[in-house]
Amino acid sequence: MSGIIDRQPSLSKLILNLKNCYKVGNEGMKAITKSITNKTRLETLNLNYSRCEHLTEESMDYLKQALQEHKMLKTLLLIFTKRRKIFDSGFEMLCHGLAELKELRELTLNISRWNKITTTGFAHFKELLSSLQNLQLLELSCRSNRFILGEGSIFLGEGLSTLVNLKTLRLDLSKTLIGDLKFEQVFQGISRLVNLEQFDIHLHDCRKITNICLMHLFQAIGKLSRLISLGVDL
């Protein structure tokens, strides 16, 4: 694969779907990221590693290095569900790689079931969001993540509040154990997105939320004066 991509200097879009390739591990990630050299002119990159359960923190280092070589990316999709072998340091490496993409306009990031990440790791995500000032679309799935509890929700809300140019936000916090107070902090961040036009939020099977959570949600929505599309999934 490396040789094939190297011979395509004008390549602007690359989609690699490795969903359910259970045995793909760090060496597979290394081979793929090595092929994404600075000889290409990538503006769109889609990598789906859903259920590739052998990936470890080493793979995040390879990905970080690849992203740092493509600072002109406009659209990025990364799907890494069900990570059991990636901890705070690996998540930090991913965030540092993404933070180099100052020209990014659209980011889809699925980190569902990353249950080895703590709030310490999620603090880096707050820093990442604050660096992506040109972002116009964010699709973020933290479905079934334990680290979104406690200060993790504070970091998420504070990070979201910095995305002043965001027009579309799709947020999946389903099956998390966040309570009303922590959701309020997330919604406060969202309420500051003055340019938001489309907002979808999924809170399916969040068993700790009550009417108070819904009150905070719709109070935040009421402050989004440019909103033209709204989806709420409970």
Side-chain angles (χ1 to χ4, degrees):
M1 179 178 291
S2 177
I4 294 173
I5 295 179
D6 284 346
R7 291 194 293 271
Q8 307 295 328
S10 299
L11 191 68
S12 63
K13 183 176 183 178
L14 178 61
I15 299 175
L16 295 174
N17 187 351
L18 298 174
K19 181 179 179 180
N20 294 330
C21 293
Y22 300 103
K23 295 185 178 181
V24 171
N26 295 333
E27 289 303 312
M29 174 69 84
K30 181 179 181 180
I32 290 172
T33 54
K34 185 178 180 180
S35 70
I36 308 173
T37 67
N38 54 15
K39 296 179 182 178
T40 62
R41 301 174 182 176
L42 283 178
E43 293 186 358
T44 299
L45 176 62
N46 292 6
L47 295 177
N48 187 344
Y49 278 88
S50 179
R51 295 184 178 272
C52 296
E53 298 183 10
H54 292 283
L55 295 177
T56 70
E57 296 195 316
E58 183 181 349
S59 66
M60 294 297 99
D61 190 27
Y62 295 140
L63 181 58
K64 180 191 75 171
Q65 295 176 44
L67 292 175
Q68 289 174 337
E69 292 185 358
H70 291 281
K71 298 181 180 181
M72 300 307 294
L73 275 174
K74 301 292 193 300
T75 302
L76 177 63
L77 179 147
L78 295 175
I79 300 178
F80 294 103
T81 60
K82 203 174 181 180
R83 297 274 64 78
R84 297 177 179 175
K85 300 177 181 178
I86 298 177
F87 301 86
D88 287 339
S89 58
F91 190 50
E92 179 182 1
M93 285 187 278
L94 174 61
C95 289
H96 285 174
L98 291 170
E100 296 291 332
L101 307 179
K102 307 299 185 184
E103 300 300 318
L104 201 63
R105 299 295 190 274
E106 299 182 0
L107 173 61
T108 297
L109 182 62
N110 189 327
I111 50 174
S112 299
R113 300 180 71 180
W114 280 41
N115 288 326
K116 300 296 184 180
I117 308 298
T118 70
T119 53
T120 299
F122 206 67
H124 299 292
F125 192 70
K126 170 189 170 182
E127 297 175 5
L128 163 64
L129 291 180
S130 66
S131 70
L132 300 178
Q133 292 301 299
N134 289 315
L135 204 63
Q136 297 181 6
L137 180 150
L138 175 62
E139 295 187 27
L140 175 64
S141 177
C142 298
R143 187 183 182 93
S144 299
N145 280 358
R146 298 170 187 167
F147 66 79
I148 202 68
L149 291 169
E151 291 186 358
S153 59
I154 299 175
F155 293 143
L156 177 59
E158 292 177 347
L160 288 172
S161 70
T162 65
L163 299 175
V164 294
N165 291 310
L166 201 67
K167 294 183 177 180
T168 299
L169 174 62
R170 300 187 180 105
L171 185 61
D172 188 352
L173 299 175
S174 299
K175 295 188 176 182
T176 57
L177 298 176
I178 314 177
D180 292 333
L181 179 60
K182 300 305 180 183
F183 266 124
E184 179 184 6
Q185 293 163 339
V186 175
F187 298 151
Q188 284 177 351
I190 293 172
S191 70
R192 297 186 178 96
L193 302 178
V194 296
N195 290 307
L196 202 64
E197 297 176 353
Q198 300 181 51
F199 178 39
D200 294 291
I201 185 165
H202 299 270
L203 303 175
H204 176 68
D205 204 16
C206 291
R207 300 183 181 183
K208 289 192 174 183
I209 64 174
T210 69
N211 293 332
I212 295 175
C213 173
L214 298 183
M215 179 185 69
H216 292 314
L217 171 60
F218 285 99
Q219 283 178 346
I221 291 171
K223 297 179 181 180
L224 303 175
S225 59
R226 297 191 178 185
L227 200 66
I228 58 177
S229 177
L230 172 65
V232 179
D233 176 19
L234 300 176

